[in-house]
Amino acid sequence: MENLFSSKDQVLLFLIIFSLLLLLFAILVDKSNGLFLARNLLDIKSYEISPENKMERQAGKLFVRWVYYGVSVMVPVCLFLYSSVVSKNLAILFITGICIYRKYLTR
C-alpha cells in the first residue's frame, strides 16, 4: 500500500481514467434522456416522456451537465500536468475540440 500513488504521474493518471469513466457513465445517462439510474437499460419503453419521470429526468440532466463541465476542465488540466509531451499535445487537442463543440454545435 505504500507505493499506491507514490508519484504525481500516478495520481494524474488515476484522475484521467476516473474522469473518462465518469464521462462514459454520463453519456449513458444522456442517451437515456436522464433516466438511466432509475430504469433498466434494455427497457426502452420506460424511457418515454411522462409526467411522473419529470424530476428524475431533471436530476439526470443536471448530473450530465456537471460531468461534462467537470471533465472538460479536469482532463486537460491533468494532461497538461502529466510529464509526457504526448499528453500535453492531447490536452491541446482536447481543449480545441471543446471550443469547437461549444462554438458550433451548441447553438
Side-chain angles (χ1 to χ4, degrees), residues 28-63:
L28 289 174
V29 173
D30 193 22
K31 292 297 178 189
S32 68
N33 205 6
L35 294 178
F36 179 72
L37 294 175
R39 303 288 181 262
N40 182 0
L41 184 60
L42 301 175
D43 188 13
I44 303 296
K45 291 187 178 195
S46 65
Y47 294 131
E48 293 176 355
I49 296 175
S50 62
E52 63 265 6
N53 296 338
K54 184 178 179 182
M55 294 302 289
E56 296 172 38
R57 196 174 306 280
Q58 287 176 349
K61 288 180 180 182
L62 181 64
F63 167 75

Side-chain angles (χ1 to χ4, degrees), residues 15-33:
L15 289 174
I16 291 169
I17 291 171
F18 179 75
S19 297
L20 293 177
L21 288 174
L22 197 61
L23 178 65
L24 177 66
F25 185 65
I27 289 171
L28 289 174
V29 173
D30 193 22
K31 292 297 178 189
S32 68
N33 205 6

